[in-house]
Amino acid sequence: MEEKLNLVEVWDKTFTKSDKVNHRKVTFHNRYGITLAADFYEPAGAEGKLPAIAVSGPFGAVKEQASGLYAQTMAERGFITIAFDPSFTGESGGSPRYVASPDINTEDFQAAVDFLSVQDNVDPEKIGIIGICGWGGMALNAAAIDTRIKATVASTMYDMSRVNAKGYFDSEDSEEERHEKRKALNAQRTIDYKKNSYERAGGVVDPLPEDAPFFVKDYHAYYKTSRGYHQRSLNSNDGWNTTSALSFLNMPILQYSSEIRSAVLLVHGEKAHSCYFSKDVFEQLKGDHKELLIIPGAVHTDLYDQVDIIPFDKLAEFFRENLK
């Protein structure tokens, strides 16, 4: 039986509601028994069984932010879509709160496919997924294990295992530096257990230091301003539980990305600090249905909400072609 969630029924998104789609809240559960909350979007006046897309991300965001924008926009283009909050975050269930897990969060995408597969107006043979930022890596991980996923888009992707284990641009890629991270995180486990509470890692830094890297300034401009702030967003507020990083240190999520047989489209900004994640993963992908689209001049967060930059027409074309 699914956990009863207290869902907000008012429109509290960071984007404007479209009159071209119908919207409602739904819940579904993953195989660990965690109930997930999602926004369900369908084209107004749609008939018959349609192709469907599940969307999540960015890492530390909620469905009222970028994933909801993607889901609503793709619904305007003829797809059934859901934007869901991952386990332990947003309106979704799971305790303790604010935990990230490479396994459970990959499972969240598979659970979304479970849900879409049994909807009366969805063709179960035509299901795709979109992962944004850290959930781009989770989406690829899901595509590697779930053969029901026929097409995957990873937008402005992060490999959370790699960045936790090796640092940005692999600048901390040594056994000694990983050992020091493990020591610090395991010491925090002891502290948390004694206190019977979990230290939060902190969301996007605020106030913003003058010498902050440009990508931190970009994050601040999204998560900490009216442009993208949301009260349930971890990045907008106090962040993940600090010890969430432990599992990513130990479990590479893209181990079998080379074995993905379904279609994959990687989309990244040319000037994004994170662009190397997509470029490197693209080299691992095999087959004829793999594509890397670099958006000229775009930074990481441009692909969160800048509708004149996000290539929605290309995404729609990609899914129409591969969800036939």
Side-chain angles (χ1 to χ4, degrees), residues 260-281:
I260 298 173
R261 298 189 180 185
S262 55
V264 174
L265 171 62
L266 304 173
V267 183
H268 227 115
E270 175 193 21
K271 294 186 177 180
H273 67 287
S274 52
C275 193
Y276 70 101
F277 290 126
S278 286
K279 289 180 177 178
D280 288 356
V281 168

Side-chain angles (χ1 to χ4, degrees), residues 162-163 166-172 215 272-277:
R162 180 177 177 181
V163 75
K166 300 181 180 182
Y168 281 109
F169 309 106
D170 300 338
S171 61
E172 301 167 2
F215 68 91
H273 67 287
S274 52
C275 193
Y276 70 101
F277 290 126

Side-chain angles (χ1 to χ4, degrees), residues 14 61-62 64-66 220-231 233 236 305:
T14 59
V62 287
E64 288 75 21
Q65 297 172 307
H220 187 278
Y222 180 75
Y223 286 108
K224 291 292 188 176
T225 72
S226 58
R227 170 184 165 195
Y229 176 86
H230 196 277
Q231 60 184 357
S233 168
S236 291
D305 66 339

Side-chain angles (χ1 to χ4, degrees), residues 16-275:
T16 303
K17 187 175 183 179
S18 172
D19 60 4
K20 298 178 182 179
V21 305
N22 299 323
H23 163 267
R24 57 188 169 93
K25 291 284 185 75
V26 297
T27 61
F28 56 96
H29 62 273
N30 66 22
R31 67 186 176 92
Y32 293 108
I34 299 170
T35 300
L36 304 179
D39 285 297
F40 187 101
Y41 300 91
E42 58 185 343
E47 297 180 357
K49 290 183 177 292
L50 300 178
I53 304 168
V55 192
S56 195
F59 194 80
V62 287
K63 64 187 181 304
E64 288 75 21
Q65 297 172 307
S67 61
L69 173 64
Y70 272 68
Q72 178 176 261
T73 306
M74 296 306 292
E76 290 179 329
R77 284 158 169 75
F79 301 89
I80 298 291
T81 65
I82 58 171
F84 66 88
D85 285 329
S87 294
F88 313 111
T89 68
E91 292 187 297
S92 287
S95 180
R97 304 301 293 166
Y98 318 127
V99 177
S101 162
D103 179 28
I104 295 175
N105 295 141
T106 299
E107 161 64 21
D108 289 341
F109 262 120
Q110 293 191 262
V113 176
D114 294 340
F115 171 79
L116 289 172
S117 295
V118 301
Q119 300 308 301
D120 291 340
N121 55 353
V122 169
D123 185 335
E125 297 301 316
K126 299 179 180 179
I127 296 177
I129 59 176
I130 298 174
I132 307 164
C133 184
W135 256 258
M138 302 295 184
L140 292 174
N141 206 37
I145 196 170
D146 199 326
T147 55
R148 300 171 301 170
I149 297 170
K150 299 303 192 294
T152 301
V153 169
S155 180
T156 197
M157 190 205 77
Y158 257 57
D159 177 346
M160 296 307 301
S161 295
R162 180 177 177 181
V163 75
N164 275 285
K166 300 181 180 182
Y168 281 109
F169 309 106
D170 300 338
S171 61
E172 301 167 2
D173 185 14
S174 72
E175 179 182 340
E176 186 59 33
E177 289 184 275
R178 279 187 287 276
H179 180 69
E180 291 303 314
K181 290 179 183 179
R182 293 174 185 129
K183 282 174 59 179
L185 289 167
N186 284 296
Q188 186 61 51
R189 286 185 66 122
T190 303
I191 294 170
D192 289 350
Y193 197 85
K194 286 179 179 178
K195 294 170 58 179
N196 197 30
S197 64
Y198 292 88
E199 180 186 76
R200 304 279 290 278
V204 173
V205 62
D206 188 43
L208 191 66
E210 291 185 8
D211 61 348
F214 81 90
F215 68 91
V216 175
K217 295 179 180 177
D218 291 338
Y219 283 137
H220 187 278
Y222 180 75
Y223 286 108
K224 291 292 188 176
T225 72
S226 58
R227 170 184 165 195
Y229 176 86
H230 196 277
Q231 60 184 357
R232 290 190 295 275
S233 168
L234 279 68
N235 290 343
S236 291
N237 296 285
D238 293 330
W240 296 94
N241 289 351
T242 300
T243 53
S244 284
L246 268 170
S247 55
F248 290 98
L249 275 169
N250 213 39
M251 300 179 186
I253 58 173
L254 299 178
Q255 188 72 23
Y256 295 105
S257 57
S258 64
E259 297 182 10
I260 298 173
R261 298 189 180 185
S262 55
V264 174
L265 171 62
L266 304 173
V267 183
H268 227 115
E270 175 193 21
K271 294 186 177 180
H273 67 287
S274 52
C275 193

Side-chain angles (χ1 to χ4, degrees), residues 291-309:
E291 184 176 355
L292 172 62
L293 177 62
I294 302 297
I295 308 300
V299 299
H300 183 85
T301 54
D302 283 339
L303 296 184
Y304 285 6
D305 66 339
Q306 300 301 295
V307 295
D308 57 335
I309 294 177

